[in-house]
Amino acid sequence: MASPDTAPALALQLSEAVTRRSLIDGLDYDVHLDLRRAAASFDSRTRIRFTSGAGSTFLDLKAEAIKAITLDGDDVDVDRVRQGRLPLTLTAGEHEIVVDAVMAFRNDGEGLHLSVDPADRRPYVYGMSFMDAAPSIFACFDQPDLKAPYTFHVLAPTDWTVIGNAPGTQAEPGVWEFESTQPLSTYFVTLVAGPWHMIHDEHDGIPLSLSARRSLAPYLDADAEELLTVTKQCFDEFHRLFGIRYPFGNYHQAFVPEFNAGAMENPGCVTFRDPLIFTSKVTRGERIQRATTVAHEMAHQWFGNITTPRWWDDLWLNESFAEYLGNRVTAEVTEFDDAWIHNAWTRRQWGLVADQRPSTHPVAGNGATDALAALQDFDGISYAKGSSVLRQLNTRLGDDVFFGGVIEHLTRHRFGNATMADLFGAWERAGAGDLTPFTEGWLRTAGPDTLQHDAALRALILTPADADAPPRSHTLSVALLDGDTWRHESVEVSEAETPVPAAEALVVDPDEQTWVLALADPASIDVLIGRGGGPNEPQVRAGLWNNVRSALHNAEVSPAQVIDLAVVTLPTEQVDDAFRSLVPWLSGKAVPLTQEPDDAAARLHEAFRERVDSAEPGSTLQLGALQGAIATAGDPAVLHRWRQGQDLPDGVQLDLAVRWRIINRLAVLDAIALAGLDAEFAKDPSTQAGVSRAGARASLHTDQAKAWAWARFTGAEPATNYELAAIGAGMWAGSDLSHALPYVDDYFSRITELQSVHSGWVLGEVVEAFFPLAPLSAQIAEQAEGLIASGDLDVTVRRRLVDATDELRRRLAVVEKYGAPRVGASL
């Protein structure tokens, strides 16, 4: 047995993928995994049969140790594997490679992730092969356009259940045999294995199942009816829309621990982050998010899994479609008919902020030169903006043409790969006409146009994202306040100034009919503050706050004005998604940017408390308002009483989530000791409690707490992916930053080598979570910009550093224009 070199694996270049695809065809994988050790590593034996032309290429393999490799029965020197690649010189004809290796279990949410449940010490395993992680599970030709069937054979502890992409059976205790899959890209290949709690059902001939950790069994049982009902409703609607049956056999939904993304659309075995199994009372908005996530992953079974992009620069063909259809189908066929309002509150700003960053990019055709660079574009542009643009296109074409083109596209490229040009060609053949202007204007042009209401001119002022590009025309509505009535007017905007009717206040594009950066005008905000409230219509209210959030992001309204508006609108809020969206934004951004943060937080706290008291006891509105009251509380005595179950408003349950929100706020206020955190964790040593404790510990205002947090940043001490995000947030929480400030220089000195400690998704999360944003320092911005300009950065590190620095610069612009926070204020 030999160990490969430890040099970082190379990212696949587009040019390499094109060459390899031209050489290799007819792939078939047979994979044996032995998971019985359930410790640091597992055995992986892969046989790959294929045909090729004559030429040179490479096999992807990221092993801990290699036992043997053969090519057509001949031994291959295992020391030839370098930087995750085995060079191959092939003759024309049929070939067989067999790789017998030892692979490392991972704990970063990628590859074959091994997690031990702190509640009962049971181990669980799941596979995440996305982008470049598959070679750390099995040897492969890892690129999206080399699809192949996979046959898995798995040895596991006898009390485990193993689920894969295709139906499987336990041939004897601990021996699992799986059918061959349909042709899959490597990044879809998964299995989940462990002592899962299972639930089985069936719909329309499709076997359905759910799984979660044993410690979550009662919660999965409680949520199963809702999850399965949404799944069945979505299957019926997708079958109606596409006219193509789900082709991947069983449909399993696995809720797995420490999952990075919301979910992954692996055919036959979709993986979700298991906080989506609710262990505490949640808002309706959280249930909508779960339903849209279920629908999103189901949409992928057609758009992404049946037909897959040829290369990562067409990733929007997966994500934008799943985002649009996930929201649409959820709103149209499930109980969550307010999914588009949820989208306005929770997704719109994600896309708009990303589209304003220096790192913005077109929705489509980004020309990613390698897989690692492409990973950076899985962002709000590819999801939220792309979804909005597809919604516009659907409105323009109508369902008959829109789905007519999609169905032809999926049928023509069934179980294969395709490009954006293939899809648009199908739409044009379906009757869409020439879509070139639409493509160039909306999909290939980066950045949003800006619309702002000028009350004095009674006009909308349009500023194009690209002054040199042909102007984009916007069809949208405006909500106008006349007296006590809000009314909607349709507007066509294509000129620099577009007249609008006179009104006391105006909200731009509340119905989200176009993709545009709409900035609230201060005059309208002042009117609403003076009248003591905003619009009652939920969609208009969401649109108003999107306008306001965008305006603060661009220093077009003062943070004090934002707080004033929140204080008069929060007590009458009717949608709990508003609290879920506004609480972290108000407490984390608007409050710290005011000149008197303590006063701003106190005023918000009273507004949230007013809604807690006026909401129906036990309602999700009350819960959402309570979350805001906790986040803005400044009196530790109140929080301590709540923590003990004293003086709680009628209807409030002191469950795990509420208790840890209180504890985390006490840590930020430096009003709890480490021993108190440990005692609280001992009451319920769950994963959720462990993450919360980690964030709270990092928030404590002591040198020891910050040193503990920093050891996780540097990798000197281990932490899970969820813990790292919480620890990074806690590092810079609270008013006393004196214990954290000594780490600023170390952040910038270590960040150039951080990719040797963290990788993939986690690397990006760590860069952003630990970035010193809270000090609001121009010197920190200059340090970051100097490092960015040096060019000596990993591509993931660079992208997140650029985005974090842009956020800091924007916050500095706000305080420069409207006044800096008072020194020593509590944040």
Side-chain angles (χ1 to χ4, degrees):
M1 182 185 296
S3 299
D5 73 311
T6 58
L10 297 172
L12 179 66
Q13 304 293 307
L14 172 59
S15 58
E16 294 172 328
V18 171
T19 299
R20 188 160 66 175
R21 179 66 186 89
S22 69
L23 191 68
I24 291 176
D25 201 6
L27 282 159
D28 184 274
Y29 288 84
D30 191 86
V31 181
H32 291 253
L33 301 180
D34 187 345
L35 311 180
R36 288 175 295 182
R37 288 193 300 274
S41 62
F42 61 96
D43 293 331
S44 171
R45 185 177 185 276
T46 307
R47 184 189 68 202
I48 312 171
R49 292 172 173 166
F50 61 98
T51 60
S52 79
S56 297
T57 187
F58 57 90
L59 181 75
D60 298 295
L61 175 60
K62 300 176 182 179
E64 183 177 81
I66 304 172
K67 299 178 182 179
I69 302 175
T70 62
L71 173 61
D72 299 329
D74 297 327
D75 291 338
V76 174
D77 182 1
V78 298
D79 290 332
R80 294 179 60 204
V81 177
R82 290 287 183 271
Q83 294 186 274
R85 296 179 174 185
L86 170 65
L88 297 172
T89 300
L90 301 170
T91 58
E94 296 183 354
H95 297 282
E96 180 181 274
I97 294 176
V98 178
V99 176
D100 195 358
V102 177
M103 305 295 204
F105 281 114
R106 297 172 66 168
N107 67 350
D108 59 359
E110 300 183 38
L112 207 56
H113 181 101
L114 173 65
S115 173
V116 177
D117 189 342
D120 58 16
R121 308 310 299 169
R122 288 186 172 104
Y124 295 89
V125 168
Y126 65 86
M128 179 60 164
S129 297
F130 180 71
M131 192 59 82
D132 64 354
S136 66
I137 304 175
F138 56 95
C140 57
F141 297 105
D142 187 25
Q143 62 189 70
D145 61 347
L146 282 174
K147 284 187 162 183
Y150 291 80
T151 306
F152 269 77
H153 318 266
V154 180
L155 299 178
T158 56
D159 62 334
W160 283 21
T161 300
V162 183
I163 305 106
N165 297 103
T169 58
Q170 189 170 196
E172 58 184 87
V175 179
W176 293 82
E177 299 290 341
F178 292 87
E179 299 175 12
S180 294
T181 69
Q182 300 283 12
L184 305 179
S185 297
T186 46
Y187 77 91
F188 291 138
V189 178
T190 193
L191 61 85
V192 296
W196 303 104
H197 175 63
M198 299 287 300
I199 293 175
H200 296 275
D201 202 349
E202 181 274 341
H203 179 67
D204 194 19
I206 303 168
L208 305 178
S209 53
L210 307 169
S211 65
R213 288 176 285 149
R214 292 265 187 96
S215 63
L216 298 178
Y219 307 106
L220 181 63
D221 288 345
D223 282 355
E225 182 178 357
E226 182 179 305
L227 286 164
L228 291 169
T229 296
V230 168
T231 301
K232 295 171 185 180
Q233 291 167 330
C234 289
F235 261 130
D236 290 344
E237 181 66 358
F238 283 124
H239 284 153
R240 184 188 73 83
L241 291 173
F242 293 125
I244 299 171
R245 290 277 301 173
Y246 170 73
F248 297 107
N250 298 353
Y251 193 72
H252 180 73
Q253 296 174 100
F255 293 86
V256 300
E258 301 167 358
F259 197 73
N260 285 322
M264 179 64 197
E265 65 268 21
N266 316 301
C269 184
V270 178
T271 43
F272 296 83
R273 56 168 49 213
D274 68 11
L276 289 174
I277 298 301
F278 303 133
T279 58
S280 296
K281 184 174 181 177
V282 296
T283 62
R284 177 176 173 82
E286 289 175 272
R287 292 193 179 277
I288 297 172
Q289 179 182 343
R290 184 172 68 181
T292 58
T293 302
V294 168
H296 178 112
E297 304 311 319
M298 294 182 74
H300 272 311
Q301 305 306 312
W302 286 265
F303 232 106
N305 294 5
I306 290 178
T307 302
T308 309
R310 186 173 297 167
W311 181 246
W312 300 113
D313 58 352
D314 272 334
L315 65 90
W316 77 279
L317 290 176
N318 283 6
E319 300 306 341
S320 300
F321 264 89
E323 185 84 356
Y324 165 59
L325 289 171
N327 285 310
R328 170 178 165 161
V329 169
T330 300
E332 291 183 353
V333 304
T334 78
E335 67 175 287
F336 303 109
D337 55 359
D338 46 349
W340 284 116
I341 297 172
H342 167 84
N343 182 77
W345 279 115
T346 62
R347 306 292 270 188
R348 182 80 164 182
Q349 282 296 308
W350 178 40
L352 283 170
V353 168
D355 211 16
Q356 296 171 74
R357 297 292 192 206
S359 58
T360 186
H361 55 86
V363 173
N366 300 314
T369 57
D370 63 56
L372 189 58
L375 179 61
Q376 311 315 309
D377 291 339
F378 277 80
D379 57 15
I381 296 169
S382 301
Y383 286 74
K385 181 180 180 179
S387 167
S388 178
V389 171
L390 286 176
R391 193 180 182 189
Q392 290 172 234
L393 182 62
N394 175 262
T395 300
R396 170 178 166 174
L397 299 182
D399 271 1
D400 287 348
V401 172
F402 185 87
F403 284 103
V406 167
I407 291 165
E408 183 204 323
H409 178 74
L410 296 176
T411 302
R412 182 185 292 255
H413 303 285
R414 185 176 176 86
F415 298 132
N417 300 85
T419 66
M420 173 179 169
D422 295 324
L423 174 61
F424 276 73
W427 270 328
E428 290 176 354
R429 288 189 295 273
D434 182 11
L435 292 175
T436 302
F438 181 90
T439 303
E440 294 302 318
W442 292 105
L443 296 172
R444 295 194 184 279
T445 300
D449 295 344
T450 302
L451 268 181
Q452 190 163 22
H453 177 227
D454 188 313
L457 293 176
R458 295 181 182 176
L460 296 179
I461 309 303
L462 175 66
T463 305
D466 185 349
D468 297 325
R472 291 184 281 204
S473 178
H474 298 269
T475 300
L476 66 147
S477 67
V478 292
L480 305 154
L481 177 63
D482 287 327
D484 294 327
T485 304
W486 287 87
R487 60 187 175 87
H488 291 246
E489 293 277 351
S490 294
V491 182
E492 292 283 341
V493 177
S494 58
E495 305 295 333
E497 293 186 17
T498 301
V500 292
E504 294 180 60
L506 183 145
V507 178
V508 179
D509 192 31
D511 300 311
E512 296 187 359
Q513 294 167 290
T514 189
W515 184 256
V516 71
L517 176 64
L519 304 179
D521 64 288
S524 289
I525 296 176
D526 280 340
V527 167
L528 298 176
I529 293 169
R531 293 171 64 92
N536 290 324
E537 186 181 342
Q539 187 71 57
V540 178
R541 204 165 176 112
L544 166 66
W545 275 106
N546 274 324
N547 288 189
V548 171
R549 287 190 282 180
S550 291
L552 183 63
H553 189 66
N554 287 277
E556 292 292 334
V557 298
S558 72
Q561 195 177 29
V562 170
I563 299 301
D564 288 344
L565 180 65
V567 166
V568 300
T569 59
L570 291 174
T572 59
E573 184 54 60
Q574 297 295 324
V575 176
D576 61 36
D577 253 327
F579 296 122
R580 185 161 170 260
S581 180
L582 291 178
V583 165
W585 181 78
L586 287 169
S587 61
K589 183 168 183 175
V591 166
L593 294 179
T594 61
Q595 290 180 282
E596 296 290 341
D598 287 348
D599 178 68
R603 294 176 64 215
L604 286 174
H605 178 73
E606 289 305 313
F608 284 121
R609 287 290 299 268
E610 184 177 343
R611 193 64 183 110
V612 170
D613 293 337
S614 65
E616 180 182 350
S619 67
T620 62
L621 269 174
Q622 185 189 51
L623 176 60
L626 178 71
Q627 293 169 355
I630 294 169
T632 53
D635 184 352
V638 171
L639 292 169
H640 278 301
R641 288 196 299 273
W642 285 357
R643 174 189 168 205
Q644 300 301 324
Q646 301 170 10
D647 300 337
L648 285 170
D650 289 343
V652 170
Q653 301 174 17
L654 188 62
D655 59 20
L656 180 71
V658 170
R659 184 159 56 87
W660 275 102
R661 281 183 183 272
I662 294 169
I663 295 165
N664 278 82
R665 182 60 181 167
L666 284 168
V668 169
L669 295 173
D670 201 28
I672 192 170
L674 176 59
L677 301 181
D678 292 340
E680 290 289 351
F681 177 74
K683 294 177 183 177
D684 185 355
S686 64
T687 300
Q688 179 183 350
V691 172
S692 296
R693 179 179 63 165
R697 181 171 183 174
S699 300
L700 297 175
H701 301 336
T702 67
D703 290 339
Q704 292 82 0
K706 303 310 177 185
W708 178 89
W710 206 248
R712 275 74 192 161
F713 171 78
T714 63
E717 296 291 340
T720 69
N721 44 0
Y722 288 8
E723 289 171 344
L724 283 167
I727 293 166
M731 182 79 190
W732 298 102
S735 59
D736 180 5
L737 299 178
S738 61
H739 303 281
L741 285 172
Y743 293 95
V744 170
D745 289 341
D746 200 43
Y747 174 88
F748 290 110
S749 65
R750 289 182 182 272
I751 203 171
T752 56
E753 299 178 356
L754 202 61
Q755 68 271 18
S756 65
V757 178
H758 306 290
S759 62
W761 186 295
V762 171
L763 173 62
E765 291 291 306
V766 168
V767 170
E768 195 160 343
F770 283 83
F771 181 85
L773 183 66
L776 290 176
S777 165
Q779 182 180 355
I780 290 175
E782 291 166 3
Q783 281 181 274
E785 288 160 350
L787 196 56
I788 292 165
S790 73
D792 186 26
L793 291 174
D794 170 87
V795 64
T796 301
V797 173
R798 176 184 175 81
R799 169 63 181 271
R800 292 302 187 99
L801 190 60
V802 165
D803 289 353
T805 306
D806 179 65
E807 182 62 32
L808 176 55
R809 280 297 185 192
R810 288 176 178 275
R811 295 189 183 200
L812 289 169
V814 171
V815 299
E816 181 178 353
K817 185 173 181 178
Y818 298 108
R822 180 174 57 83
V823 175
S826 300
L827 301 183

